[in-house]
């Protein structure tokens, strides 16, 4: 209810209403493009490839693309190349001094890193497009000439490039994180078809009513849990000392620093899944080889013991990226310096290095709670699907991403409304 109230209040503000409408229009453009098929495809062969939900490891791509992958539309690659490129660039900031300097150069540094991410995304999109065209979807292509393969590769690459641009337009003129909202739009767009599919399974007898009830209970628990974790904060008390400037006295008030339990949001899940799917994508370059058999058996969530290897790696990567992304977005050194410069201190903690260490320790302890929760909810459906036959392998991931992005977007709306109130108060 609080979320709907925030959206309703934001819609009454002209500037925010314009941003919200712009965001919705961009999502409409995304959905229109998701239904434009790649030319020269035999759709009967394509339908047979994914009959009876036989997506396996490729369900992640279909999840991120909102069904565009299975239908082989111009947005079949979705934003996965951009996500992978973002991961690589973020990791380079730790490994290479040049990228570390860019990360510390402020706005100009971020612009250069964004440009590098774009170029890398295009390169990765070309590689993935070649893999799909010459590998997985080759038998569905009617005219199998080299020229036609090149055209399809360029179309898929152009689709990803357009989505990158679309996401940046949302960042600049809309509300929320553009790339996350595109993934969110793809997940939401599949809900009607998934409900219809589940209804058909229940009426056809392939899915029991008990399984359906268990899935609904699981979904409710995940939604409630992710909201609790996403909204959870640890408030660090801060006291500002009194100081005299001229004839006026400043400070003396108490406030707090809100540290979010899940500072990284759904980014760790997206990053972890993208990395786990990378070798499973490469294997389609080498069908009928030992590498293909190895990946299918040991790295695929549909393999044995691959399901356990996949689950363990998924947990480890989610926890790693949670700490990694939190370390990038939360800088205790800068917070400590700002507090010291303004005469602020945490009661019982000395300003300077002790404050930095205290903030780092608190963030590390509360982050592990959010990281473990995300890892369990993202991994448990894979194990349940493998051993119970209940098709919820990516159900938990879908709910986590959808709920997390919705909460982040509403939070941005609240922040923008708060800033407008402050500006209006100061201008009076």
């Amino acid at each position: 209810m609080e979320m709907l109230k925030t959206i309703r209040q934001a819609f009454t503000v002209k500037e925010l209403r314009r941003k919200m409408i712009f965001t919705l229009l961009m999502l409409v453009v995304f959905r229109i493009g998701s239904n434009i098929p790649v030319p020269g495809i035999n759709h009967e062969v394509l339908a047979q490839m994914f009959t009876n939900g036989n997506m396996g490891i490729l369900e992640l791509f279909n999840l991120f693309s909102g069904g565009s992958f299975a239908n082989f539309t111009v947005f079949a690659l979705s934003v996965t190349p951009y996500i992978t490129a973002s991961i690589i660039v973020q990791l380079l900031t730790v490994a290479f001094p040049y990228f570390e300097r860019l990360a510390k150069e402020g706005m100009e540094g971020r612009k250069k890193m964004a440009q590098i991410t774009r170029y890398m995304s295009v390169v990765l999109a070309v590689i993935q497009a070649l893999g799909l065209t010459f590998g997985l979807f080759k038998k569905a292509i009617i005219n199998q000439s080299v020229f036609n393969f090149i055209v399809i590769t360029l179309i898929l690459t152009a689709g990803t490039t357009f989505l990158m641009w679309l996401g940046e337009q949302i960042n600049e003129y809309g509300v929320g994180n553009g790339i996350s909202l595109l993934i969110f739009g793809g997940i939401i767009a599949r809900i009607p078809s998934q409900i219809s599919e589940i209804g058909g399974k229940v009426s056809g007898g392939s899915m029991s009513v008990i399984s359906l009830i268990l899935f609904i209970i699981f979904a409710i628990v995940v939604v409630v849990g992710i909201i609790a974790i996403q909204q959870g904060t640890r408030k660090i008390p801060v006291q500002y000392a009194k100081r005299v400037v001229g004839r006026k006295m400043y400070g003396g008030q108490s406030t707090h620093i809100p540290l979010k339990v899940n500072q990284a949001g759904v980014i760790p899940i997206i990053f972890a899944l993208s990395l786990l799917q990378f070798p499973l994508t490469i294997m389609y370059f080498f069908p009928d080889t030992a590498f293909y058999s190895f990946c299918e058996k040991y790295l695929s969530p549909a393999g044995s013991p691959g399901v356990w290897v996949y689950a363990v790696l998924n947990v480890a990567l989610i926890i790693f990226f949670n700490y990694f992304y939190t370390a990038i977005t939360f800088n205790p050194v800068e917070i400590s310096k700002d507090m010291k410069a303004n005469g602020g201190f945490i009661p019982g903690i000395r300003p300077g290095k002790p404050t930095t260490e205290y903030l780092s320790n608190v963030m590390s302890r509360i982050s592990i709670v959010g990281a473990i929760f995300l890892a369990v909810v993202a991994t448990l459906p894979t194990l349940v699907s493998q051993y119970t036959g209940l098709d919820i392998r990516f159900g938990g991931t879908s709910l986590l991403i959808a709920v997390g992005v919705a909460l982040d977007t509403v939070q941005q709306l609240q922040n923008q409304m708060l800033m407008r109130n402050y500006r209006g108060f100061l201008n009076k």
Side-chain angles (χ1 to χ4, degrees):
M1 293 301 294
E2 186 69 26
M3 182 182 295
L4 294 176
K5 181 181 177 181
T6 300
I7 295 174
R8 186 170 62 251
Q9 290 177 345
F11 205 77
T12 60
V13 181
K14 183 178 180 181
E15 181 183 351
L16 294 181
R17 182 170 64 248
R18 185 170 63 247
K19 289 185 175 184
M20 293 169 66
I21 293 174
F22 179 85
T23 303
L24 289 174
L25 290 176
M26 293 299 100
L27 291 177
V28 169
V29 171
F30 164 62
R31 291 310 305 162
I32 291 174
S34 298
N35 290 280
I36 301 176
V38 171
I41 300 297
N42 188 328
H43 293 281
E44 293 182 359
V45 175
L46 192 65
Q48 292 174 1
M49 292 171 58
F50 302 109
T51 303
N52 299 324
N54 187 25
M55 294 291 292
I57 58 173
L58 302 173
E59 178 62 27
L60 174 69
F61 294 105
N62 209 39
L63 169 68
F64 281 5
S65 65
S68 298
F69 182 84
N71 296 323
F72 206 45
T73 69
V74 294
F75 291 162
L77 295 182
S78 187
V79 293
T80 50
Y82 179 84
I83 295 171
T84 306
S86 299
I87 297 172
I88 295 172
V89 172
Q90 294 288 356
L91 291 174
L92 289 176
T93 59
V94 179
F96 292 92
Y98 172 73
F99 288 93
E100 186 178 359
R101 286 197 303 271
L102 288 181
K104 295 179 179 178
E105 287 180 1
M107 185 62 69
E108 290 300 319
R110 286 195 292 271
K111 285 182 180 179
K112 290 181 182 179
M113 291 179 66
Q115 191 174 22
I116 294 171
T117 304
R118 292 190 202 102
Y119 291 144
M120 193 176 295
S121 300
V122 173
V123 173
L124 292 175
V126 171
I127 294 173
Q128 289 190 16
L130 287 171
L132 294 178
T133 305
F134 286 91
L136 181 65
F137 291 100
K138 183 177 181 181
K139 57 185 178 182
I141 299 174
I142 299 173
N143 180 12
Q144 298 197 359
S145 63
V146 175
F147 176 78
N148 199 38
F149 283 157
I150 293 174
V151 170
I152 292 175
T153 300
L154 291 176
I155 289 174
L156 294 176
T157 305
T160 294
T161 306
F162 179 77
L163 287 181
M164 280 195 301
W165 176 83
L166 209 63
E168 290 177 355
Q169 296 305 301
I170 294 176
N171 290 339
E172 187 171 354
Y173 302 109
V175 178
N177 183 288
I179 299 299
S180 297
L181 281 172
L182 292 178
I183 298 174
F184 172 83
I187 293 172
I188 296 301
R190 296 184 63 197
I191 289 179
S193 62
Q194 287 180 338
I195 292 175
S196 176
E197 182 181 346
I198 291 174
K201 287 182 178 180
V202 173
S203 60
S206 60
M207 183 178 185
S208 65
V209 177
I210 296 176
S211 297
L212 177 61
I213 294 173
L214 289 175
F215 176 78
I216 294 174
I217 293 173
F218 172 79
I220 294 173
V221 170
V222 170
V223 171
V224 173
I226 191 62
I227 291 175
I229 294 295
Q230 195 76 2
Q231 301 294 85
T233 57
R234 167 76 182 274
K235 296 180 179 179
I236 306 296
V238 178
Q239 181 71 38
Y240 284 91
K242 294 181 179 180
R243 51 181 179 156
V244 178
V245 180
R247 295 183 177 181
K248 293 185 178 180
M249 180 176 291
Y250 296 90
Q253 75 272 20
S254 298
T255 183
H256 66 269
I257 302 173
L259 301 183
K260 296 186 67 174
V261 174
N262 185 24
Q263 182 78 14
V266 296
I267 298 297
I269 295 176
I270 297 174
F271 279 12
L273 288 175
S274 297
L275 277 188
L276 286 173
Q277 295 302 312
F278 186 72
L280 302 178
T281 304
I282 296 298
M283 78 182 196
Y284 283 102
F285 283 95
F286 310 99
D288 302 322
T289 62
F291 175 74
Y292 185 97
S293 301
F294 174 82
C295 290
E296 189 175 39
K297 182 177 181 180
Y298 293 102
L299 298 179
S300 168
S304 180
V307 60
W308 289 104
V309 176
Y310 186 93
V312 171
L313 289 176
N314 196 27
V315 170
L317 285 173
I318 288 175
I319 294 175
F320 167 76
F321 280 119
N322 185 278
Y323 275 95
F324 177 77
Y325 198 78
T326 299
I328 293 175
T329 56
F330 178 76
N331 191 337
V333 177
E334 292 298 324
I335 294 175
S336 178
K337 287 181 179 179
D338 290 342
M339 287 171 53
K340 188 175 181 180
N342 290 284
F345 62 93
I346 299 173
I349 307 295
R350 294 179 60 187
K353 187 177 180 181
T355 298
T356 301
E357 293 176 350
Y358 175 79
L359 292 174
S360 298
N361 291 335
V362 171
M363 179 54 77
S364 297
R365 288 198 299 268
I366 65 175
S367 291
I368 192 64
V369 177
I372 291 175
F373 174 81
L374 294 179
V376 169
V377 175
T379 306
L380 190 60
T382 302
L383 300 177
V384 172
S385 298
Q386 184 71 7
Y387 292 103
T388 65
L390 184 60
D391 189 18
I392 58 171
R393 177 158 44 238
F394 289 96
T397 303
S398 302
L399 288 172
L400 281 170
I401 294 174
V403 175
V405 172
L407 289 174
D408 287 340
T409 305
V410 172
Q411 184 64 48
Q412 287 197 30
L413 280 174
Q414 291 176 338
N415 293 339
Q416 292 193 32
M417 291 173 63
L418 191 61
M419 289 175 62
R420 284 183 58 86
N421 290 337
Y422 278 145
R423 285 199 298 264
F425 175 77
L426 293 173
N427 290 332
K428 287 182 180 179

